[in-house]
Amino acid sequence: MDSLPELEPVPATRAGRKSWFREFLETLLPATAAVLLINLFIAQPRTVHGQSMEPHLHENQRVIVEMLSYRFRTPERGEIVVLNLRDRHTDPLIKRVIGLPGETVEIRDGAVLVNGVELDEPYLTQRTTGQMPPVLVPEAHVFVMGDNRRQSNDSRYFGCVPWEDLIGRAWVSYWPPEDVGLFR
């Protein structure tokens, strides 16, 4: 049987190094662009700070905020949203949508009323304290509150939130492991 001749190793050439570098860039640049595109326009990871959404969201819990849907539809009552109050210098806040444009929100005798009807809030573990006279939610705004009403800086204090201040809606919790899951 004839044996094949041995091939001599080809020394690395400038062209060989250039093609490796080019392949590296052709892989790295699109991957970086995809990550930036997703992070800037589609979804962002966020960390919960504070106790305003207890017991459903906890300090240092990690969530993914979906930022695309509000470009195609309006916020819905009960959704958990992340907002950045542009006229204040605060970190983004996470709250629940309570009132929609054209609705009147008030707090009376431990209950939140929307258009005079008590809001069904199965996510609460405590009654809402205090009183608040009726507030009309303007067009292109929402009224938001934290689930931990005794520890929440929300629309009762800073007013209704314009839609352009909504970063997005909390979509999924991914940390800690016992809290992993989609938000309804």
Side-chain angles (χ1 to χ4, degrees):
M1 184 185 270
D2 292 331
S3 64
L4 296 174
E6 285 190 35
L7 298 175
E8 293 185 33
V10 178
T13 63
R14 182 175 253 177
R17 278 185 260 139
K18 186 175 182 181
S19 67
W20 175 87
F21 184 69
R22 182 175 177 180
E23 283 184 39
F24 176 75
L25 285 179
E26 287 174 350
T27 302
L28 182 65
L29 291 177
T32 302
V35 167
L36 288 174
L37 179 70
I38 289 168
N39 213 6
L40 292 175
F41 300 107
I42 298 173
Q44 288 180 352
R46 293 284 177 159
T47 301
V48 175
H49 297 291
Q51 302 167 348
S52 73
M53 289 299 291
E54 292 278 352
H56 298 99
L57 297 175
H58 314 287
E59 177 77 24
N60 293 323
Q61 186 171 346
R62 307 297 199 281
V63 299
I64 299 291
V65 177
E66 180 273 315
M67 302 167 13
L68 199 56
S69 63
Y70 292 155
R71 291 191 170 107
F72 303 104
R73 68 171 183 83
T74 59
E76 296 175 8
R77 184 180 344 279
E79 288 182 329
I80 298 172
V81 296
V82 175
L83 54 117
N84 190 15
L85 300 172
R86 295 170 197 241
D87 62 340
R88 297 174 180 236
H89 299 288
T90 63
D91 290 332
L93 304 173
I94 188 161
K95 305 292 176 195
R96 190 178 298 272
V97 175
I98 301 296
L100 301 171
E103 295 180 333
T104 301
V105 179
E106 69 179 294
I107 300 171
R108 185 177 352 124
D109 300 325
V112 175
L113 303 161
V114 176
N115 295 333
V117 177
E118 184 173 349
L119 185 61
D120 180 28
E121 299 184 282
Y123 42 82
L124 291 184
T125 58
Q126 59 186 322
R127 300 281 287 168
T128 303
T129 59
Q131 307 288 323
M132 185 186 80
V135 172
L136 178 64
V137 181
E139 280 300 314
H141 285 69
V142 290
F143 189 95
V144 297
M145 295 177 79
D147 290 354
N148 183 358
R149 304 284 163 81
R150 295 180 182 146
Q151 299 283 322
S152 181
N153 177 26
D154 52 37
S155 287
R156 295 174 288 175
Y157 305 104
F158 52 70
C160 296
V161 179
W163 287 346
E164 62 262 15
D165 285 358
L166 298 177
I167 295 170
R169 68 181 175 96
W171 176 53
V172 65
S173 173
Y174 67 93
W175 190 262
E178 61 270 14
D179 293 325
V180 169
L182 293 172
F183 294 109
R184 292 185 201 137

